[in-house]
């Protein structure tokens, strides 16, 4: 007798759920990670105002990171899984 757990629709669902989990984990693993730097939040002499939007703060932080990277104060970003494997 065939075990009802291995019925075709359930098997298909488990396969698709496993595939989605593997893809999500892979996407998370290859996202870039920026190293921590003292100059990352300050930027190139330009601070954001208290009422700045999240996009403006992100742009200032990104520019500050790029400036610190160009000055040699920070290392380059790398994939997240590189931290996991050493």
């Amino acid at each position: 007798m065939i075990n009802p757990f291995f019925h075709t629709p359930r098997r298909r669902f488990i396969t698709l759920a496993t595939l989605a989990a593997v893809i999500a984990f892979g996407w998370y693993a290859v996202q870039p990670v920026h190293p921590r730097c003292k100059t990352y939040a300050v930027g190139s002499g330009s601070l954001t105002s208290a009422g700045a939007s999240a996009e403006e703060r992100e742009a200032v932080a990104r520019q500050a990171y790029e400036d610190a990277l160009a000055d040699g104060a920070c290392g380059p970003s790398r994939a997240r899984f590189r931290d996991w494997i050493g």
Side-chain angles (χ1 to χ4, degrees):
M1 184 169 159
I2 297 175
N3 188 345
F5 181 75
F6 293 108
H7 191 62
T8 304
R10 186 174 290 181
R11 189 181 329 163
R12 193 174 308 144
F13 172 74
I14 291 172
T15 302
L16 290 175
T18 303
L19 182 63
V22 167
I23 290 172
F25 180 75
W27 174 82
Y28 178 76
V30 298
Q31 292 302 306
V33 177
H34 302 288
R36 295 185 184 263
C37 300
K38 288 183 179 180
T39 58
Y40 183 77
V42 176
S44 56
S46 62
L47 297 174
T48 58
S49 65
S53 68
E55 292 85 16
E56 291 171 340
R57 289 192 305 266
E58 180 64 29
V60 169
R62 189 179 318 261
Q63 183 60 44
Y65 172 74
E66 294 296 328
D67 292 344
L69 183 62
D71 293 340
C74 290
S77 64
R78 59 183 185 198
R80 181 173 279 124
F81 76 90
R82 297 277 185 195
D83 292 335
W84 300 340
I85 60 175

